[in-house]
Amino acid sequence: MNLKSIIIALDESSYSPVIAQRGFELAAVFDAELTMLLIRNNEAVLNASLANASIEDMASEEKLMKELKEIAIAYKAIQWGITILKGDPQEEIIQYIADNKADLLVVGTHGRTGIDHWVSGSIAEHVIRHATIPVLVMPYNHRAH
């Protein structure tokens, strides 16, 4: 597999830097350029708070951006960029990969089940079904359930 361009779809959760780190590791292995795609979605913040998930507020964007830039500094040889979009993450991710050539999409999954899954839905599932490029799904929370 020849990966020259990787997109990492991130949300505003505290787990996003972990997913970004893994994406940079992949980009380093394949010498690929990388785009971090941050989707801001106010409805997701509300749903996540109802589902007791870890989604941060608007004030956390600066902190997240700082963390992402610190990760990027460790990978000086990787050409990277950040794109911030507002809207429904499912629609925005699919549209972005349709409009921008990439070889791989990396997304995280919170692994919600039951009522939490019903309330919040699964962005990762939707993206897998509708993406036109390979998708690597990584769990946000690596602790055993």
Side-chain angles (χ1 to χ4, degrees):
M1 179 179 270
N2 188 16
L3 300 178
K4 290 295 171 198
S5 178
I6 299 172
I7 297 172
I8 307 171
L10 303 170
D11 62 13
E12 298 172 84
S13 75
S14 59
Y15 300 114
S16 284
V18 174
I19 302 303
Q21 174 75 38
R22 298 297 174 251
F24 269 95
E25 290 170 2
L26 276 172
V29 167
F30 289 98
D31 192 28
E33 65 180 50
L34 186 136
T35 301
M36 291 180 279
L37 177 62
L38 176 60
I39 310 293
R40 294 196 56 88
N41 180 5
N42 292 336
E43 183 178 326
V45 172
L46 173 63
N47 287 342
S49 65
L50 292 173
N52 198 25
S54 177
I55 301 284
E56 308 299 330
D57 61 15
M58 288 288 280
S60 70
E61 183 175 331
E62 283 184 31
K63 180 182 178 225
L64 176 60
M65 296 300 284
K66 181 181 176 192
E67 290 173 349
L68 295 176
K69 288 177 183 176
E70 287 173 1
I71 292 167
I73 288 170
Y75 295 90
K76 294 177 185 174
I78 302 299
Q79 183 179 356
W80 64 276
I82 299 175
T83 299
I84 301 173
L85 300 174
K86 293 182 182 182
D88 177 6
Q90 295 176 350
E91 294 173 16
E92 295 297 332
I93 292 168
I94 295 301
Q95 188 61 53
Y96 189 84
I97 63 174
D99 294 342
N100 297 274
K101 184 174 170 29
D103 300 309
L104 178 69
L105 173 67
V106 178
V107 297
T109 181
H110 292 275
R112 294 185 189 105
T113 59
I115 191 72
D116 290 347
H117 185 272
W118 181 78
V119 169
S120 298
S122 174
I123 294 167
E125 285 178 22
H126 178 86
V127 169
I128 291 167
R129 285 190 192 109
H130 296 91
T132 55
I133 61 175
V135 179
L136 174 62
V137 180
M138 302 183 68
Y140 276 104
N141 189 349
H142 295 282
R143 293 178 291 176
H145 295 282

